Amino acid sequence: QLQLVESGGASVQSGGSPRLSCVASGYPYRDLCMGWIRQVPGKEREGLAAIDSDGRTRYSDSVKGRFTVPQDKTNNTLYLQMDSLKPEDTAMYYCAIDSYSRCGVVVGPRSDFSFWGQGTQVTVSS
């Protein structure tokens, strides 16, 4: 059974650099796309970043150059390293997973990753 457990949510000031973690188990696919999405109440889900089984990454325009997705395959952990945070980055952040073939389409507005975790809150104050 797939489990995605996020941690690392925090309240930070503008310019902060927290790192979120996601421990994954029970993968439903042999070849994967893993990533992060975020959602603000009343707004659409946004796919922020994705990395496939070959290590290729994609980023949304809103976070490109500020966020990265390092991973520790030994411990089945995906991270979201966030730098230069802005108040508009305030949201619930979710770790997400999909099949390898969908990695090119799950980043951006109205993201439709197939599975995601319970989420962790990040709040950025000015």
Side-chain angles (χ1 to χ4, degrees), residues 14-69:
S14 290
S17 298
R19 186 176 75 167
L20 307 183
S21 300
C22 171
V23 179
S25 61
Y27 300 108
Y29 311 105
R30 189 186 71 174
D31 297 312
L32 301 173
C33 175
M34 286 190 70
W36 293 88
I37 57 179
R38 69 184 177 190
Q39 188 161 28
V40 176
K43 295 191 176 181
E44 293 177 330
R45 211 162 33 237
E46 179 186 12
L48 303 176
I51 182 167
D52 64 27
S53 296
D54 295 327
R56 287 176 298 186
T57 55
R58 290 90 165 165
Y59 296 95
S60 69
D61 289 341
S62 62
V63 305
K64 195 175 296 181
R66 300 189 298 126
F67 291 11
T68 58
V69 283

Side-chain angles (χ1 to χ4, degrees), residues 80-92:
L80 181 66
Q81 177 63 51
M82 301 185 286
D83 297 322
S84 304
L85 281 181
K86 308 172 185 178
E88 52 264 42
D89 293 315
T90 294
M92 185 70 81

